[in-house]
Amino acid sequence: MIDLDLAARPQPRIRIISFGYGHGEAPVADLTVDGRRHYRNPHHDPAMRDLTGLDDAVRRHVMTTPGVRDAVAAAVWFARRLLDEVLTAHGGAVVVAFGCVGGRHRSVAMAQAAAALLREAGVPAEVEHRDVTKPVIQR
């Protein structure tokens, strides 16, 4: 017999959100990675300040910072582990958030890298860049 309750449940998935602490509170998430203190900030380079983590130069700058790839891989591992539990418990989404000051550089690059790792492993991943289009925070 088919369990209709299982058929009606939403398919488990991973949602990845990039955001900037300077534009509001962190989103509700199962895991939040704070990229403000430990990773190079493209904002300090005038040539990259108005770009985002969707641009190759910024993405390379962020992703070659020591420790970033390990942090992203650890977040992906954790999300996949939670996804197994969500799948067996109730379906729905596991949410991973990556934050930085403005939500335009580090968080975006890290979110994109996490989504790519998940998709390479055949895991569905949705990405939302909450603050990528907001103004650059002047410091």
Side-chain angles (χ1 to χ4, degrees), residues 35 38-42 44 60-66 68 106:
H38 301 289
Y39 309 123
R40 273 195 307 251
N41 188 353
H44 297 303
R60 279 192 306 273
H61 183 82
V62 171
M63 296 309 297
T64 57
T65 302
V68 166
R106 293 169 288 185

Side-chain angles (χ1 to χ4, degrees), residues 14 16 31 33 39 62-63 65-82 96-98 109-121 123:
I14 296 177
I16 300 170
L31 173 67
V33 179
Y39 309 123
V62 171
M63 296 309 297
T65 302
V68 166
R69 290 186 187 277
D70 290 339
V72 170
V76 166
W77 177 87
F78 184 79
R80 289 186 69 183
R81 173 71 183 190
L82 280 181
V96 178
F98 291 92
M110 294 172 75
Q112 289 293 116
L117 285 175
L118 287 163
R119 290 175 184 145
E120 287 171 15
V123 178

Side-chain angles (χ1 to χ4, degrees), residues 3-70:
D3 183 348
L4 295 178
D5 286 340
L6 286 177
R9 291 182 186 172
Q11 291 298 309
R13 64 194 191 288
I14 296 177
R15 287 187 58 224
I16 300 170
I17 304 170
S18 71
F19 71 97
Y21 288 95
H23 291 293
E25 292 186 26
V28 174
D30 298 296
L31 173 67
T32 301
V33 179
D34 186 341
R36 292 178 291 183
R37 293 183 48 210
H38 301 289
Y39 309 123
R40 273 195 307 251
N41 188 353
H43 178 85
H44 297 303
D45 181 340
M48 288 191 269
R49 187 167 296 144
D50 292 321
L51 301 176
T52 74
L54 299 172
D55 294 298
D56 287 336
V58 172
R59 189 170 33 252
R60 279 192 306 273
H61 183 82
V62 171
M63 296 309 297
T64 57
T65 302
V68 166
R69 290 186 187 277
D70 290 339

